[in-house]
Amino acid sequence: MSTKQFKDRLPAWALTAANLTSRQFAQATVIDRPLPDFMVIGSKRGGTTSLFHYLIDHPGVLGLFPKVRGKKGTEFFFPAGRHTGSPHSVNWYRSHFHTETYRRMLARNLGYRPLSFEASPYYVWDPRTAERVRTIAPSMKAIVLVRDPVRRAWSHYQERVQNGVEPLSFEDALAAEDARLEGEVERMMEDSAYYSPAFDWFSYRRRGEYLEQIRRWHSVFPPEQLLVVRSEDLYRDTQATMDRIFDFLDLPSASMRERVIYNATWRTAAAAPHQASHELARHFEPFNADLEGYLGVTLGW
Amino acid sequence: MSSPHCVIQPGDEGLEILARQAWGEAIASGDYRLVVNPTPQSGWATLREYTVLGSGGRPELLVPKASPRITRRVLTAYGGLRRLRPRIARQVAGWTAQVGLPIGRQTIAVQEATARESQSLEPLAVIEGELGMRLVAALGVRRGANGKATLHLFDHVGRPAGLAKLSWNALTREFIDTESTVLEHLDGTAGAFSVPRLMNSGTIGANPYLVAAPLPSSVRQSSRSSGLTPGEVTGLFPIVRRARAVETGQVRSLLTRLAHYRVGVPDSLRALWHECTAALSSSTTELSVAQRWHGDLVPWNVGRDATGRPWLWDWESSEEDVVAGLDVLHWHVNTAHAGRRLSDILRPSLLEVTTSLQALGHGERAREVVAALYAMTIAERAAGLADAHGGWSRVRVDQSEVGVLLSTARQML
């Protein structure tokens, strides 16, 4: 029986009790728990879940504590309005990462200190996140996946439909995006705790305008602390791309065992509506060109 | 009722209302009468009898006199749709009936003249003929301004067989006609919801009626605090176009009805109505327009069956071609702010449903127009009820509240 199967059989109260107990233990030992070494910050529907699983496949990379919960992110840097209850403390955040004691034990066999990380595709999207991260972890490294923005938008839309929150057609949703997002960024900048579901859920086109998001991260962190990876490279040449990532993280290369694509939507195989795709592609042309110029690479979208 | 054929005493207000709603035309024909605690009398035959149940001396429910087993099943059907106290009361009454003890002191008999030659105007007899089955029915007493007789139908062994609604005046005739048309059009589904199918419709005398298919016995009110997910509410009907509010069928109908009201639009509110309708008509804001709205999306019209699938009933207020978001607001004010005056909670509600209205494609300005239109829609309903009843005494949303709603709408427009 897999861990997931075991967890699925447990009653809700038992899971809650286990979560509370493990979190309390972790917070009691927080003095031995450092902040994460790096983060995967985006983009949504760009392969962050797959990258998370490929990373923890490396012997020198640790996911969140406790591993059995199977979560890839803490949502610590989400605005406070996204959560119920009191805002979480930095100690709460640190409680999600493995102790230095545990890492020293692993290091005896590895020959190097293993790294811990979390992943949340929301982080690169919210304009306030970079500054929040810098405030507590100025040396944090980050990885952002950038995917063909037309495919990303379509995948994002399908995911929202699958989640039951998108009532419009793809074409209508794109047409309504500006109206849906109207005023939301201003509200977010005025109120640090404000979380905008519309900004998070319905940003199909704007989230594919990557340059603004990368520039924003670069305005807070030195360029050498951010690695931009093409999602298509991650899927077409997983080993080579992961080697590049491991090098960025100062980790030795490791042979990839898993090549599964995670978190695919149920309609991944269906192509985006032709006309909408064509119009999106035209919209993204100048944005992609600017991004290529900024990064000094050819994206091939 | 002041009729020699309705032996319900003045003062039996609930029974008078129910008699008028369910048997008014039959009684007026002279071939039928209702008798409380009947004794045999020549020239009249009892068609069916009911036990009157109520509390505090007010009749609430007519339960068919039938076998103990059927009576128990009638009383306890759809317990999941009732609050705890009435559910318990019905269970106790059901057990009482099961052991053969009387459940109430008052009996009403529906009697038919033995010399009757004309077509039957007794509602249950007509419905039995149309459906081709023997039925018993329970009737609730509805005292509201838009009250109509609702017959919960059960077959010969006490299984739910449908829900019949009877019209009795111009207002309820319109409700029944609307619901019949809508149920036929929906044919069992609306978005994520199951909808009772239309089994039968027709007229009893001059008054339309409908029979909707029974809900699954397992249907119960949702235990979740909000009852429905935002996605279920926003996904009820598709967005079909974008247009200004005044270009939608729902607003055009609203303005047409408003123009004919006399009692419903008193002098004290005439200027406010004029300002609001002029502002709405001149608004250039483009809005998402839905194929239809339910019109009364509230917790007591919603339930979930054993599979978790939501069911939605009572479609008499449904309208086509409507600004998207009215169901969202109506659901929200009747759940998050149940029992509070709409004028007090309209603006906070608008903020609270922002994400749902954004999901429907509305920007900031459009959301204000949606909220204004919702306020005007509720105000117009109140005006319509007042006009139908010749006064405001039975209308829950009073003139003062209508005034505040219109003022708020005007500001939002």
Side-chain angles (χ1 to χ4, degrees):
Chain A
M1 186 189 301
S2 69
T3 305
K4 184 182 185 308
Q5 287 169 326
F6 175 70
K7 280 167 58 181
D8 287 346
R9 287 189 176 193
L10 287 176
W13 66 264
L15 282 172
T16 303
N19 290 340
L20 278 172
T21 306
S22 62
R23 190 57 49 215
Q24 282 173 346
F25 165 75
Q27 288 192 275
T29 52
V30 77
I31 196 168
D32 196 25
R33 298 180 188 276
L35 289 165
D37 301 283
F38 69 97
M39 317 167 89
V40 177
I41 60 172
S43 59
K44 186 170 178 67
R45 306 313 297 168
T48 50
T49 303
S50 293
L51 179 57
F52 173 84
H53 286 281
Y54 298 160
L55 282 165
I56 61 173
D57 203 34
H58 189 292
V61 178
L62 300 167
L64 297 182
F65 174 82
K67 181 183 175 184
V68 70
R69 290 198 68 189
K71 293 182 70 176
K72 76 176 195 247
T74 66
E75 299 188 352
F76 176 70
F77 293 106
F78 273 63
R82 171 77 165 75
H83 309 292
T84 54
S86 308
H88 294 307
S89 65
V90 174
N91 279 351
W92 177 89
Y93 185 46
R94 288 168 57 182
S95 75
H96 287 77
F97 304 101
H98 288 272
T99 61
E100 290 290 4
T101 302
Y102 179 65
R103 297 183 207 212
R104 281 193 295 273
M105 188 185 79
L106 292 178
R108 282 188 218 118
N109 286 332
L110 291 172
Y112 55 88
R113 175 181 174 275
L115 307 180
S116 64
F117 79 111
E118 68 153 332
S120 172
Y122 181 76
Y123 285 169
V124 75
W125 179 231
D126 189 316
R128 302 163 294 184
T129 308
E131 192 54 51
R132 284 185 183 142
V133 174
R134 191 198 65 79
T135 303
I136 65 163
S139 59
M140 181 80 73
K141 287 185 177 178
I143 302 167
V144 63
L145 289 161
V146 293
R147 181 185 179 187
D148 176 345
V150 176
R151 287 175 173 264
R152 195 218 70 80
W154 173 236
S155 178
H156 184 176
Y157 169 81
Q158 290 179 305
E159 185 239 19
R160 290 292 93 198
V161 169
Q162 198 170 330
N163 275 274
V165 301
E166 176 54 84
L168 303 184
S169 68
F170 187 48
E171 293 86 344
D172 287 348
L174 291 172
E177 183 164 330
D178 288 344
R180 283 169 155 182
L181 270 57
E182 182 188 7
E184 293 302 299
V185 172
E186 289 78 7
R187 243 169 251 121
M188 289 162 66
M189 300 314 287
E190 276 174 16
D191 178 0
S192 64
Y194 178 65
Y195 169 72
S196 168
F199 185 76
D200 189 4
W201 298 349
F202 303 131
S203 44
Y204 307 119
R205 189 174 49 246
R206 283 173 58 176
R207 272 206 186 185
E209 297 165 7
Y210 300 117
L211 182 55
E212 181 184 352
Q213 299 165 63
I214 291 170
R215 272 197 168 127
R216 195 161 51 221
W217 204 267
H218 280 165
S219 72
V220 175
F221 293 97
E224 60 269 23
Q225 282 180 233
L226 177 68
L227 180 66
V228 181
V229 177
R230 236 175 55 112
S231 303
E232 291 80 4
D233 292 338
L234 183 67
Y235 292 127
R236 284 193 201 127
D237 195 349
T238 309
Q239 187 65 60
T241 306
M242 290 308 297
D243 284 342
R244 188 173 150 235
I245 292 172
F246 297 141
D247 184 60
F248 168 73
L249 298 172
D250 294 325
L251 288 171
S253 175
S255 181
M256 298 300 304
R257 289 176 298 177
E258 287 227 56
R259 309 292 174 110
V260 174
I261 297 176
Y262 290 85
N263 201 24
T265 55
W266 46 264
R267 291 169 64 185
T268 299
H274 178 75
Q275 183 63 28
S277 296
H278 181 68
E279 287 170 8
L280 270 180
R282 280 178 53 191
H283 169 81
F284 285 125
E285 262 178 31
F287 291 96
N288 295 343
D290 288 346
L291 182 61
E292 287 181 335
Y294 184 81
L295 296 175
V297 299
T298 302
L299 294 166
W301 296 327
Chain B
M1 288 185 66
S2 55
S3 161
H5 301 288
C6 178
V7 192
I8 288 179
Q9 298 303 318
D12 291 335
E13 178 243 349
L15 295 178
E16 283 185 308
I17 290 172
L18 186 55
R20 186 165 47 237
Q21 292 173 355
W23 292 284
E25 196 162 0
I27 291 168
S29 72
D31 287 333
Y32 296 89
R33 68 179 191 176
L34 301 187
V35 182
V36 178
N37 298 332
T39 52
Q41 191 173 355
S42 68
W44 294 96
T46 294
L47 275 183
R48 60 193 95 254
E49 289 186 314
Y50 296 91
T51 304
V52 181
L53 296 186
S55 59
R58 273 166 57 103
E60 301 288 348
L61 182 68
L62 267 58
V63 178
K65 283 206 159 187
S67 71
R69 183 163 175 260
I70 290 177
T71 304
R72 180 186 63 78
R73 294 186 84 172
V74 167
L75 282 164
T76 58
Y78 299 115
L81 295 178
R82 295 193 186 89
R83 295 184 179 207
L84 186 61
R85 278 182 68 179
R87 189 159 76 236
I88 291 174
R90 288 242 193 165
Q91 280 288 351
V92 170
W95 293 328
T96 306
Q98 179 81 60
V99 298
L101 292 173
I103 57 173
R105 283 188 226 156
Q106 205 174 33
T107 297
I108 282 199
V110 180
Q111 295 186 333
E112 183 180 67
T114 52
R116 181 183 72 85
E117 289 175 355
S118 59
Q119 196 174 20
S120 174
L121 291 175
E122 204 275 324
L124 193 53
V126 170
I127 293 168
E128 283 179 319
E130 288 294 319
L131 297 183
M133 55 195 294
R134 292 284 295 164
L135 296 166
V136 296
L139 294 87
V141 178
R142 306 270 185 267
R143 293 179 174 80
N146 60 347
K148 67 196 80 63
T150 304
L151 281 65
H152 295 262
L153 305 174
F154 297 85
D155 67 12
H156 65 285
V157 295
R159 287 178 301 221
L163 184 74
K165 295 187 181 182
L166 314 177
S167 63
W168 61 280
N169 61 6
L171 185 68
T172 56
R173 281 194 281 273
E174 198 176 323
F175 285 147
I176 298 299
D177 281 340
T178 297
E179 184 156 17
S180 293
T181 304
V182 174
L183 290 183
E184 196 164 32
H185 172 78
L186 294 178
D187 194 27
T189 56
F193 295 83
S194 286
V195 174
R197 283 193 158 81
L198 183 69
M199 285 174 63
N200 180 249
S201 64
T203 56
I204 300 172
N207 294 315
Y209 74 93
L210 68 88
V211 181
L215 296 172
S217 304
S218 61
V219 167
R220 52 200 319 115
Q221 298 241 299
S222 178
S223 60
R224 291 190 289 221
S225 58
S226 63
L228 297 175
T229 66
E232 285 170 338
V233 179
T234 57
L236 192 48
F237 289 105
I239 304 301
V240 292
R241 64 193 186 100
R242 289 186 65 77
R244 297 163 51 222
V246 76
E247 295 165 343
T248 63
Q250 187 257 345
V251 170
R252 283 198 295 267
S253 297
L254 183 152
L255 296 177
T256 301
R257 289 192 299 269
L258 210 48
H260 290 95
Y261 294 155
R262 297 289 171 262
V263 173
V265 181
D267 291 339
S268 57
L269 294 174
R270 198 165 297 279
L272 256 179
W273 268 119
H274 180 75
E275 280 182 45
C276 281
T277 55
L280 188 67
S281 298
S282 61
S283 170
T284 57
T285 304
E286 279 233 322
L287 305 159
S288 295
V289 178
Q291 183 185 71
R292 172 179 293 281
W293 75 310
H294 177 272
D296 197 16
L297 189 61
V298 293
W300 50 94
N301 288 337
V302 173
R304 288 188 191 271
D305 63 24
T307 70
R309 184 175 175 85
W311 284 77
L312 181 52
W313 53 90
D314 268 355
W315 290 84
E316 64 192 33
S317 304
S318 181
E319 296 174 281
E320 284 184 297
D321 198 47
V322 63
V323 169
L326 299 190
D327 274 328
V328 168
L329 272 165
H330 197 67
W331 175 257
H332 186 77
V333 303
N334 281 283
T335 50
H337 299 287
R340 296 182 63 189
R341 286 168 72 92
L342 178 59
S343 54
D344 292 336
I345 48 94
L346 183 62
R347 283 194 184 279
S349 293
L350 176 58
L351 283 177
E352 290 155 5
V353 301
T354 292
T355 303
S356 290
L357 295 183
Q358 286 168 326
L360 291 169
H362 294 307
E364 284 182 284
R365 185 73 198 103
R367 296 195 292 272
E368 294 270 313
V369 176
V370 174
L373 175 56
Y374 176 69
M376 290 175 67
T377 298
I378 299 303
E380 186 271 329
R381 281 186 179 177
L385 286 173
D387 220 65
H389 290 281
W392 287 79
S393 61
R394 294 175 66 196
V395 184
R396 192 173 52 85
V397 179
D398 58 27
Q399 289 186 58
S400 155
E401 172 74 353
V402 167
V404 180
L405 284 174
L406 293 178
S407 296
T408 307
R410 182 66 190 93
Q411 289 165 19
M412 287 175 159
L413 290 167

